[in-house]
Amino acid sequence: MNITLRVWRQKGRDDEGRMVTYKLTDVSPDMSFLEMLDVLNEKLTLESEEPVAFDHDCREGICGACGVVIDGEAHGPERTTTCQLHMRSFNDGDTITVEPWRASAFPVVKDLVVDRGAFDRIIQAGGYVSAPTGTAPDAHANPIPKPDADRAFDAATCIGCGACVAACPNASSMLFTAAKVTHLGMLPQGQPERASRVVQMVNQQDAEDFGGCTNIGECAAVCPKGIPLDTISQLNQDLLGSLGKGIG
Amino acid sequence: MAVTGAILVLYLIAHMYGNLKVFSGQEAFDGYAHNLRVLGTPLLPEHGFLWLARLILLASVLIHIYAAVSLWLRARRARPASQRYQVTKRVHRTYSSYTMRWGGVLIALFTIFHILHLTVNVISPGGASDSPYERLVNGFQPEFWFVTLFYVAAVIAVGFHLRHGIWSGLATLGVNQANRQPKMNAVATGLSLILTVGFLLPPLAVTFGLVS
Ligand code: HEM
Ligand code: SF4
Ligand code: FES
């Protein structure tokens, strides 16, 4: 395959940045998108040019590091992470535009790499349970209804990639926060901090300059882990519940 | 947003019901308008209910607009114009959700015009009148087709606004669960359609001479 890449290049945080066009020949349809970028970087290195910086770690769709916006879609045309996207999803001769996540809360560090520390700070604000340590409890000591366990598990699959923010027209992080609120809120261990958790996490995402949720649904539509939109209603329910408890 | 929006939706249902009285003739329509003014008397003073309702509506509209403007400003701060994507693609979002903000501005402007036209009657195509029925019939005569056209456009804008608004309000109030989504969508689309058609019928009926 021959493809033309338009890639966002930005030297550092304070650089203005611009789109740069590269041509690649002999791309295998079996390459992953990141392998295709590796090929580009090898070529750039041989030409004594600065390679394109992009984030990645596991390359198996579980770490959440590799997100970029491809042709206007977070993680590109398939509902998976960029590392699990393959060039067979594109056609010979295509022009592909690659941009970093765009949000004030995710400043660009270099080229396609953004700083997603804001997500860590939202988790630090309330995305934990204060569990007493000690030996592991009996497996049956704490029965959890199967539907609750399933819902908690589904919500817990969020990998913190940030695609939800990147795709949201408001640059809101509500799906990410709601996934954690739902995950912990469904389990008995999450109950003691349930009301304060949602208030603290929502306050933190406001403080990070994420936008407000207007229930548009782009987040859930691009989420590589299929975090459902109804987690946001769960968050709103918990928020309403916390009002009654005088926390906020 | 959701609570004030819900109040406005309830108002629109009542308003549409009143407007449809136009098909029962002048007496029914004007009688209904008169009843609104004396509703609750002698417990309330005359026009008491009307002004109470107007107060609640005005407060709802203002809070609704305040919340919308803050969300708009927050979104602009969260992704300023300098950080726009070069390429964007719509994956899921509906036309309705896409037009909420500018559509809302259009509806606000329409509402101001509309109150000056049919309530205060300082804008009175076809002649002013003390009878709400006559104001309506005069205003939508065929020679004022552009008034009708403007109403049609505004009511359709309201329909789109409601389609996303009802869905979003339900989600904000915590109703959204995966298995309820088909029903929520049906309610949002159904109610928007009923209100749109119900509001379109009276002006169109006048313009096309079915009501005179
Ligand atoms: C084509 C559709 C419509 C027609 C024929 C219509 C007709 C009327 C009439 C005749 C009145 C005056 C009633 C009276 O004096 O007793 C009125 C008032 C009003 N209408 Fe409409 N209307 C329409 C659509 C709308 C829409 C879509 C909205 C909201 C966005 C709206 C908002 C209002 C408001 C706020 C008032 C003033 C209520 C008050 O303070 O008394 N109308 N309308
Ligand atoms: S909710 Fe989905 S899109 Fe958002 S960070 Fe988690 S995995 Fe990524
Ligand atoms: S590199 Fe880990 S999810 Fe893509």
Side-chain angles (χ1 to χ4, degrees):
Chain A
M1 295 169 72
N2 295 331
I3 53 165
T4 307
L5 278 175
R6 293 175 63 231
V7 184
W8 181 259
R9 300 300 313 258
Q10 180 174 338
K11 290 198 178 78
R13 282 178 191 260
D14 300 324
D15 182 25
E16 256 204 4
R18 69 217 62 83
M19 300 301 289
V20 180
T21 304
Y22 302 102
K23 289 207 183 294
L24 272 186
T25 49
D26 279 339
V27 174
S28 155
D30 296 329
M31 280 179 187
S32 76
F33 198 84
L34 298 189
E35 282 165 344
M36 182 275 295
L37 289 180
D38 291 338
V39 170
L40 170 69
N41 278 346
E42 275 169 25
K43 183 170 164 256
L44 291 178
T45 310
L46 288 178
E47 292 165 359
S48 306
E49 276 190 57
E50 182 81 7
V52 178
F54 62 90
D55 243 340
H56 61 105
D57 187 24
C58 68
R59 296 210 178 194
E60 51 186 44
I62 54 173
C63 75
C66 60
V68 288
V69 171
I70 302 165
D71 286 340
E73 278 185 82
H75 291 301
E78 312 283 347
R79 288 294 74 83
T80 183
T81 52
T82 304
C83 58
Q84 293 297 299
L85 174 68
H86 291 82
M87 295 314 292
R88 53 180 166 269
S89 300
F90 300 89
N91 297 316
D92 188 28
D94 274 0
T95 299
I96 306 172
T97 306
V98 193
E99 299 175 76
W101 288 168
R102 290 294 191 191
S104 306
F106 289 164
V108 173
V109 178
K110 189 177 179 187
D111 297 337
L112 302 172
V113 178
V114 299
D115 176 358
R116 277 170 295 147
F119 267 9
D120 298 337
R121 292 187 290 275
I122 292 177
I123 294 294
Q124 281 162 11
Y128 50 78
V129 294
S130 302
T133 51
T135 47
D138 258 359
H140 281 313
N142 225 342
I144 300 165
K146 173 85 165 114
D148 290 355
D150 284 349
R151 192 149 188 250
F153 194 85
D154 285 346
T157 57
C158 167
I159 52 177
C161 65
C164 41
V165 175
C168 175
N170 299 307
S172 169
S173 56
M174 203 59 92
L175 191 69
F176 167 78
T177 304
K180 195 48 64 197
V181 164
T182 305
H183 161 205
L184 299 177
M186 290 299 109
L187 300 173
Q189 294 87 340
Q191 298 314 309
E193 283 136 335
R194 186 165 181 179
S196 56
R197 169 180 309 119
V198 64
V199 174
Q200 288 163 1
M201 290 181 83
V202 168
N203 284 345
Q204 187 62 35
Q205 61 175 0
D206 289 352
E208 298 288 349
D209 257 351
F210 286 107
C213 174
T214 58
N215 299 304
I216 298 214
E218 288 291 284
C219 50
V222 300
C223 174
K225 296 295 148 181
I227 300 295
L229 196 60
D230 66 8
T231 54
I232 293 181
S233 259
Q234 183 66 54
L235 178 145
N236 288 331
Q237 270 182 24
D238 282 20
L239 208 52
L240 275 178
S242 73
L243 283 182
K245 300 198 177 90
I247 301 163
Chain B
M1 256 331 352
V3 174
T4 52
I7 294 174
L8 295 173
V9 171
L10 291 180
Y11 167 72
L12 282 182
I13 294 172
H15 189 8
M16 177 188 76
Y17 171 77
N19 286 358
L20 290 174
K21 293 248 172 206
V22 83
F23 294 107
S24 319
Q26 177 160 11
E27 238 168 82
F29 191 82
D30 285 353
Y32 180 76
H34 176 73
N35 280 337
L36 288 181
R37 282 153 178 80
V38 295
L39 199 73
T41 49
L43 209 61
L44 291 171
E46 200 174 317
H47 289 175
F49 168 80
L50 191 64
W51 278 105
L52 198 68
R54 284 174 177 169
L55 204 71
I56 295 173
L57 282 177
L58 186 67
S60 304
V61 168
L62 291 181
I63 297 170
H64 198 74
I65 292 176
Y66 171 79
V69 170
S70 351
L71 278 167
W72 200 340
L73 292 177
R74 277 189 56 190
R76 287 185 43 162
R77 217 174 45 231
R79 186 179 296 128
S82 58
Q83 290 189 28
R84 290 251 174 83
Y85 290 110
Q86 309 265 335
V87 179
T88 49
K89 193 159 170 195
R90 191 172 61 81
V91 181
H92 171 88
R93 66 186 311 187
T94 53
Y95 182 74
S96 306
S97 71
Y98 184 63
T99 52
M100 286 309 272
R101 285 172 187 155
W102 286 109
V105 171
L106 181 80
I107 294 166
L109 292 177
F110 161 78
T111 311
I112 295 171
F113 166 81
H114 171 55
I115 291 178
L116 293 178
H117 172 206
L118 286 176
T119 305
V120 187
N121 210 209
V122 291
I123 300 173
S124 48
S129 165
D130 284 337
S131 148
Y133 182 84
E134 280 175 13
R135 296 205 284 261
L136 188 126
V137 171
N138 293 347
F140 295 120
Q141 286 305 310
E143 63 263 37
F144 302 119
W145 57 271
F146 46 89
V147 177
T148 311
L149 197 68
F150 179 50
Y151 269 75
V152 168
V155 167
I156 290 176
V158 171
F160 279 117
H161 200 76
L162 290 178
R163 163 58 208 135
H164 181 72
I166 295 171
W167 153 268
S168 177
L170 289 173
T172 298
L173 294 176
V175 174
N176 187 8
Q177 277 174 14
N179 57 359
R180 289 192 192 146
Q181 278 170 9
K183 249 189 213 148
M184 285 171 64
N185 273 316
V187 167
T189 310
L191 200 54
S192 317
L193 266 178
I194 292 172
L195 282 167
T196 308
V197 174
F199 272 115
L200 284 180
L201 284 179
L204 289 177
V206 173
T207 305
F208 288 101
L210 301 174
V211 170
S212 57

